[in-house]
Amino acid sequence: MNFIDLGAQYRAYAEELNAAVLKVMASTQFIMGAEVDALEKNLSAYTGAKHSLACSSGTDALLIPLMALGIGAGDEVITSPFTFIASAEVIALVGAKPVFVDIDETTYNLDPAKLEAAITPRTKAIMPVSLYGQVADMDEINAIAAKYGIPVIEDACQSFGADYKGKKSCNVSTVGATSFFPSKPLGCYGDGGAVFTNDDELAAKMTSIRIHGQSVRYVHKYVGVNGRLDAMQAAILNVKMKYFPQEAAKRIEIGARYSELFAASGANVVTPVVKSDRTSMYAQYSVRVKNRDAVIAKLTAAGIPTAVHYPIPLHKQECFQYLGLGDGSFPVSELVSSEIMSLPMDPFKTEEDLQQVVAAVTEATK
Ligand SMILES: *Cc1c(COP(=O)(O)O)cnc(C)c1O
C-alpha cells in the first residue's frame, strides 16, 4: 500500500494532464501567462478570496505576506510550535522572532485561550496553522487580533478545500497561504503555492514582491523575491481543480470512515477530532498511540506505511535553540509530537485499504 498514491491520481486524469503539459511546451510561455491567470481565477472562484496569487511554494506563500506587511528585525510573529518548519522559518527569515503559542490537545491547532498572553507591543502578525487540513479557531483568533490591530496569516498549506463556518480555508483571515507540494490536498508536479487576500493594497504589494518587487519591468519599488509559479504547474493544477471538489468530498468521507472503523475496532488510538462547524481535508490522517516506535515497526512489518508529522516541536529544533525555549515550554506540543503517527491517506483509498490499516493498527496497539 502507498502512503499517498499519487500514481492512482495521475492515472485517473492522465490524458488531460499530458495534453495540458504538452500544450504549455508548444506555447513556449513557461513563466506566468494564460495558465497562471486561469489558475488564479479558478482559485478565487473556489475559495471566494478576491485576490489569489499563484507562487513558487507554500513557503514563499508565507514569506511574501510577511515581507509585504513590512515585518522584520525587532518584530514578533506568533505561530504554533507543532507544525512543519516552514511556518516559523519564514518568520526568522525576515529577521523577526517566532513566538510560539501551544496547541489545543484535541485539534492540535493553536489554542486561542493561550494567545492573548503572548501578544506584546512588538507582535506584528499571528500565523495560525490549519494543521492536518482542519482550519484553526479562526473566529477567536481574528477577534483577539482585531483587538490589537494585528493581521492574521493562515498557514493553510495543509487545508486547501476545508470549510470553516461556511467559508473556505485560505479566505478566513487577512491573508491565507497554501502549498501545492505534490502530497498536499491539491498538489502539482513540483513545487507551488498560492497566497490569498481580500485586501487590495496588500494584494498589489504582494504581486510586486512576488516578482522582485517590480512595478513595471526593470523598475523595482520593493526588495522582493522570485516567487512565481511556472506555467506547467499551473496547467496541471487547472486540470486537477476540475476534480478537486469531488476529491475533497472523498477525503472527508475517508477520514470519517477511518474514525468509524477505529471506534468499532478497539484499537488503542486517539483519532482526530474535527469540530462540527468545519471540515478537515485530512492532509494527514493522524492518530496518537503509546509506544509509537514499536507500533510503527509492527505496521512496517505488516506492509502499512506510516509517517510522523511531526516528531520534534519547533522550539526544540536546533535552528531555534537561540530562542532559549527548553523542555516543558509547550507541554501539549511535546506530548502530541511524541505520540502522533500518520496513516495512509488519499482520495483513492478503498474500503478494503482502510479495513486493512485499521486491522493492522488494532493488532499493533494490543
Ligand atoms: C507543506 C507545508 C508548508 C510549506 O509548503 P512548501 O510548498 O513545501 O514550501 C508550510 N506549512 C505547512 C504547515 C506545511 O504543511
Side-chain angles (χ1 to χ4, degrees):
M1 189 184 304
N2 289 304
F3 184 67
I4 297 176
D5 196 348
L6 294 176
Q9 191 198 44
Y10 171 63
R11 288 188 294 277
Y13 320 134
E15 242 177 83
E16 276 182 86
L17 288 167
N18 293 348
V21 168
L22 288 174
K23 196 174 148 203
V24 172
M25 291 206 274
S27 78
T28 72
Q29 174 68 62
F30 299 124
I31 303 288
M32 304 301 286
E35 289 290 353
V36 173
D37 292 346
L39 175 64
E40 291 180 342
K41 282 204 183 72
N42 284 336
L43 293 173
S44 280
Y46 185 78
T47 59
K50 185 172 178 192
H51 303 280
S52 301
L53 308 178
C55 59
S56 43
S57 68
T59 305
D60 283 340
L62 291 166
L63 178 65
I64 290 168
L66 290 176
M67 293 175 74
L69 290 163
I71 294 168
D75 296 334
E76 296 175 356
V77 177
I78 294 172
T79 192
S80 164
F82 185 62
T83 174
F84 181 59
I85 186 72
S87 314
E89 182 182 43
V90 290
I91 298 167
L93 260 175
V94 296
K97 179 183 170 185
V99 172
F100 298 117
V101 167
D102 209 357
I103 55 169
D104 176 282
E105 198 175 331
T106 60
T107 62
Y108 313 138
N109 281 330
L110 190 149
D111 185 347
K114 297 175 188 142
L115 175 59
E116 200 159 1
I119 293 176
T120 76
R122 292 179 298 281
T123 309
K124 292 290 148 58
I126 301 168
M127 191 193 285
V129 181
S130 296
L131 200 75
Y132 302 148
Q134 173 174 206
V135 176
D137 287 327
M138 212 50 81
D139 277 359
E140 291 82 350
I141 293 167
N142 283 334
I144 294 167
K147 186 170 154 191
Y148 294 89
I150 301 168
V152 177
I153 302 169
E154 183 198 10
D155 180 341
C157 286
Q158 301 185 2
S159 58
F160 185 83
D163 290 300
Y164 177 83
K165 304 185 184 186
K167 287 183 163 183
K168 283 283 176 201
S169 177
C170 301
N171 188 29
V172 290
S173 57
T174 320
V175 179
T178 199
S179 165
F180 302 129
F181 185 79
S183 60
K184 306 282 173 156
L186 176 63
C188 58
Y189 286 175
D191 278 304
V195 56
F196 303 83
T197 188
N198 292 308
D199 180 323
D200 296 341
E201 216 173 297
L202 200 51
K205 195 162 177 193
M206 293 195 299
T207 302
S208 173
I209 287 172
R210 173 178 60 170
I211 305 184
H212 302 292
Q214 75 178 20
S215 45
V216 293
R217 201 166 204 184
Y218 304 132
V219 180
H220 303 273
K221 186 166 179 185
Y222 312 106
V223 170
V225 292
N226 175 356
R228 299 175 296 237
L229 183 73
D230 66 73
M232 278 200 219
Q233 300 308 335
I236 288 161
L237 288 165
N238 283 328
V239 172
K240 286 208 194 180
M241 275 297 286
K242 289 200 260 177
Y243 303 99
F244 185 73
Q246 72 202 45
E247 284 197 7
K250 201 75 193 151
R251 285 182 166 277
I252 293 168
E253 186 187 310
I254 289 172
R257 183 64 182 147
Y258 250 140
S259 295
E260 200 173 76
L261 288 169
F262 272 123
S265 71
N268 209 353
V269 296
V270 179
T271 52
V273 174
V274 178
K275 293 193 172 180
S276 60
D277 55 10
R278 62 201 84 171
T279 60
S280 175
M281 280 298 102
Y282 296 102
Q284 314 296 342
Y285 185 91
S286 305
V287 299
R288 278 161 63 195
V289 292
K290 305 286 177 198
N291 306 315
R292 181 175 64 199
D293 289 352
V295 171
I296 287 179
K298 286 181 197 162
L299 290 173
T300 305
I304 307 294
T306 56
V308 176
H309 303 96
Y310 295 91
I312 306 172
L314 299 191
H315 64 288
K316 293 178 76 176
Q317 294 286 354
E318 193 174 342
C319 62
F320 288 132
Q321 284 318 293
Y322 69 90
L323 295 171
L325 299 162
D327 265 343
S329 301
F330 305 101
V332 184
S333 295
E334 290 166 25
L335 171 74
V336 174
S337 62
S338 72
E339 297 184 345
I340 203 81
M341 170 182 83
S342 302
L343 298 172
M345 172 74 203
D346 63 64
F348 294 85
K349 291 279 178 278
T350 63
E351 173 70 17
E352 292 69 46
D353 292 332
L354 304 191
Q355 287 188 5
Q356 191 190 337
V357 172
V358 171
V361 172
T362 306
E363 184 60 34
T365 57
K366 258 190 187 148

